[in-house]
């Protein structure tokens, strides 16, 4: 019976109709309770740093805080309407535009992945349906996300692909290509999924292909063939929702 179901999945993929990627993303956000980010404050720890995300109708506030051997207690504050500000022991530091960008990019990167799939309906997002794929005998809808240059950030040329479980609407895998720091391609598998106050949070296993120029769209096949290299574990700890 299981083999019959698997064959049926393959046949479904072979005759995949063109679907609306917006509807797929909307269902994924709902399945993760992502809309509950609005009006709530979420805190968590990641790699010895403490993060806070607060979203309101007028925008967001991101805060990263940690202890530095030379500076003491450091706090990075980033909002949708202001540049990043860095404080050391509550004193505002004068830092260059280059370092403001680097710190802001680092904070944005962590919070972007932490909030997924929430954020995929931002105004700068361009969605494209890529079809279906069977992974571990589960059927997935593939959606590509790129960004408009306007309001798309300095990394607007990055390309993401999301694999949404066709049955549960959960985001189980994602891949992306990036140009910063020499560029590269990554693939992530969601693990340790848990629900807190109606919101779904998950960690990831982070992989890279053996070929740096591999196409992000086809990383699913590399995962199936076990030809990816595990790089790290993305673990978000001590999550609290207020």
């Amino acid at each position: 019976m299981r083999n019959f179901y698997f064959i049926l999945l393959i046949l479904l993929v072979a005759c995949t109709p063109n679907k609306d990627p917006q509807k797929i993303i909307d269902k994924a956000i709902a399945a993760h309770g992502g809309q509950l980010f609005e009006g709530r404050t979420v805190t968590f720890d990641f790699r010895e740093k403490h993060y806070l995300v607060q979203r309101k109708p007028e925008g967001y506030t991101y805060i990263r805080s940690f202890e530095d051997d030379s500076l003491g207690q450091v706090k990075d504050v980033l909002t949708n309407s202001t540049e990043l500000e860095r404080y050391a022991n509550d004193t505002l530091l004068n830092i260059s535009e280059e370092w403001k960008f680097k710190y802001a990019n680092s904070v944005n990167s962590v919070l972007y992945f932490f909030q997924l799939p929430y954020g995929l309906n931002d105004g700068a997002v361009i969605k494209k349906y890529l079809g279906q794929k069977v992974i571990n005998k589960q059927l997935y809808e593939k959606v590509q996300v790129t960004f408009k240059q306007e309001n798309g950030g300095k990394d607007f040329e990055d390309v993401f692909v999301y694999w949404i479980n066709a049955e549960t609407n959960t985001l189980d895998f994602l891949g992306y290509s990036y140009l910063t720091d020499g560029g590269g391609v990554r693939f992530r598998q969601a693990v340790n999924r848990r629900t807190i106050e109606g919101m779904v949070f998950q960690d990831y296993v982070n992989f890279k292909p053996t070929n740096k120029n591999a196409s992000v769209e086809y990383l699913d096949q590399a995962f199936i063939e076990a030809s990816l290299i595990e790089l790290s574990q993305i673990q978000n700890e001590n999550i609290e929702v207020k």
Side-chain angles (χ1 to χ4, degrees):
M1 179 62 70
R2 294 183 65 182
N3 287 336
F4 172 79
Y5 177 67
F6 182 64
I7 294 172
L8 180 61
L9 286 179
I10 297 296
L11 292 175
L12 286 173
V13 171
C15 56
T16 302
N18 189 28
K19 297 185 178 182
D20 183 357
Q22 183 62 59
K23 292 181 179 179
I24 296 170
I25 294 301
D26 286 345
K27 288 180 180 179
I29 292 173
H32 284 256
Q35 69 276 9
L36 295 178
F37 268 109
E38 296 293 343
R40 292 188 177 188
T41 299
V42 183
T43 60
F44 66 99
D45 297 321
F46 176 66
R47 293 180 179 171
E48 300 183 354
K49 292 180 173 65
H50 187 68
Y51 289 84
L52 177 150
V53 53
Q54 184 179 67
R55 305 195 75 108
K56 297 180 179 180
E58 61 269 23
Y60 63 81
T61 298
Y62 296 160
I63 299 176
R64 175 178 67 180
S65 55
F66 58 95
E67 192 72 26
D68 183 85
D69 292 338
S70 59
L71 295 175
Q73 184 64 28
V74 175
K75 183 169 69 174
D76 294 324
V77 180
L78 180 65
T79 75
N80 58 293
S81 58
T82 61
E83 290 186 314
L84 180 132
E85 294 179 337
R86 168 160 286 202
Y87 297 82
N89 300 317
D90 295 325
T91 299
L92 180 62
L93 301 181
N94 184 18
I95 57 178
S96 68
E97 290 300 318
E98 178 184 2
W99 282 103
K100 283 182 182 180
F101 168 72
K102 288 183 178 180
Y103 295 146
N105 191 57
S106 177
V107 172
N108 266 321
S109 178
V110 172
L111 270 301
Y112 177 86
F113 289 109
F114 176 76
Q115 296 175 86
L116 285 173
Y118 184 83
L120 297 183
N121 277 337
D122 288 351
V125 170
I126 303 170
K127 306 176 187 72
K128 178 182 178 181
Y129 182 63
L130 297 181
Q132 296 178 321
K133 184 70 174 182
V134 175
I135 305 175
N136 295 336
K137 296 186 178 181
Q138 292 288 319
L139 183 64
Y140 288 91
E141 308 286 3
K142 294 172 62 173
V143 176
Q144 180 193 78
V145 164
T146 54
F147 303 91
K148 301 175 185 176
Q149 185 170 359
E150 183 179 359
N151 298 322
K154 294 187 177 181
D155 296 326
F156 70 93
E157 294 178 283
D158 292 353
V159 178
F160 289 78
V161 176
Y162 298 94
W163 285 261
I164 309 298
N165 191 302
E167 181 179 357
T168 64
N169 297 313
T170 52
L171 169 58
D172 292 357
F173 303 93
L174 66 96
Y176 61 98
S177 62
Y178 61 96
L179 300 178
T180 56
D181 299 322
V185 179
R186 295 290 184 268
F187 185 81
R188 293 187 179 187
Q189 177 186 15
V191 295
N192 190 27
R193 182 173 290 141
R194 61 271 199 206
T195 302
I196 303 173
E197 297 292 330
M199 303 171 70
V200 176
F201 300 97
Q202 53 196 28
D203 300 330
Y204 297 93
V205 182
N206 189 31
F207 300 91
K208 75 171 183 179
T210 54
N211 177 10
K212 181 180 178 180
N213 297 318
S215 172
V216 64
E217 181 179 344
Y218 301 109
L219 291 180
D220 47 12
Q221 188 60 36
F223 177 79
I224 292 170
E225 296 171 356
S227 61
L228 298 174
I229 302 170
E230 181 177 335
L231 287 179
S232 60
Q233 299 275 337
I234 310 299
Q235 298 176 327
N236 304 304
E237 302 176 310
N238 305 318
I239 299 173
E240 293 186 3
V241 178
K242 300 178 182 179

